[in-house]
Amino acid sequence: MSPDVSQPPDSPVPSSGPGQPAPESGRQPAPQPLPEPRTLRPGSSVAIGVIAGLAALGLLASALLSDPRSWTLASTVVLALVLLWLFVVRPCVVIHTEGIRLVNPMRVVELTWPVITEVRSRWALELVAEGRRYTAWGVPADPGRPRYGRSLLTVGSNKVRGKGTSELPSKSKVEAQVVAAEVEERIAADRRRKDGRTPRIATQAWDPVSVGLLLGALAVFVLGTFVA
């Protein structure tokens, strides 16, 4: 019986030699590593929070250990601690690969690079997206530097208001002028990609933890001051 030759034996994959293109493996080149998310917060806010927090804890211990206990002082200190955390320590800015997150005392703003149309600084970092202005409480402006801002849709270069000259802040401090320059660089880099993969997101939401802490501290203050 003659062997079945209907199925040809598997032929070896030809190796790429001189003048022959290498076989395609279907894999894309490895992307370049992207910068890790960075949390920006002025060092002064942390220092003030630590010093004031230790002082408040000392007052709280004194109020609770005294005889009789001072519930009014204790409840006031609790409210002060919560307000200190909400308005001094908590506010910050998180810059990641697709956009920026503004962590404010009670709300969190999520913006991706394609939706931001204007970056400026007056008293703090300000971003305009889809016609709405968002302020970063955690990135104050340096009053000793010119204000920073331009419309990303109509102006081709960053002009310092009142001077008409281009200026990029070079200081490493966490201030609105410096962060604004980095935000504009990230927006320009995202536009140069031209792949449309960055989603368009512009959201602002209440933070339930912050709201709950504030309401709880207010309740303790009312009970300690008017009830106890």
Side-chain angles (χ1 to χ4, degrees), residues 125-170:
L125 176 68
E126 295 178 353
L127 304 175
V128 177
E130 298 183 345
R132 297 187 61 183
R133 184 182 66 181
Y134 303 93
T135 301
W137 287 52
V139 184
D142 184 355
R145 298 184 64 87
R147 280 192 279 174
Y148 200 88
R150 71 180 176 100
S151 172
L152 298 177
L153 297 179
T154 58
V155 182
S157 62
N158 194 358
K159 302 295 183 182
V160 176
R161 293 180 181 177
K163 287 191 175 183
T165 57
S166 297
E167 178 178 324
L168 289 176
S170 58

Side-chain angles (χ1 to χ4, degrees), residues 6 11 28 56:
S6 60
S11 58
Q28 300 294 333

Side-chain angles (χ1 to χ4, degrees), residues 98 100 110-116 129-130 198-203:
E98 294 187 340
I100 186 171
E110 292 281 357
L111 301 174
T112 54
W113 306 129
V115 301
I116 301 175
E130 298 183 345
T198 306
R200 298 182 62 87
I201 298 174
T203 61

Side-chain angles (χ1 to χ4, degrees), residues 56 60 71-87 210 212-222 225-226:
L60 181 61
W71 295 110
T72 300
L73 177 59
S75 61
T76 303
V77 171
V78 170
L79 179 59
L81 281 172
V82 172
L83 293 177
L84 177 70
W85 181 76
L86 286 177
F87 290 92
S210 301
L213 278 176
L214 181 59
L215 293 178
L218 288 173
V220 170
F221 176 75
V222 171
T225 304
F226 301 103

Side-chain angles (χ1 to χ4, degrees), residues 39-41 85-86 89-94 100-110 135-139 207 210:
T39 300
L40 305 178
R41 177 188 288 110
W85 181 76
L86 286 177
V89 180
R90 170 181 161 82
C92 64
V93 162
V94 180
I100 186 171
R101 179 184 304 121
L102 311 181
V103 181
N104 289 331
M106 306 296 293
R107 294 191 284 188
V108 177
V109 179
E110 292 281 357
T135 301
W137 287 52
V139 184
D207 180 60
S210 301

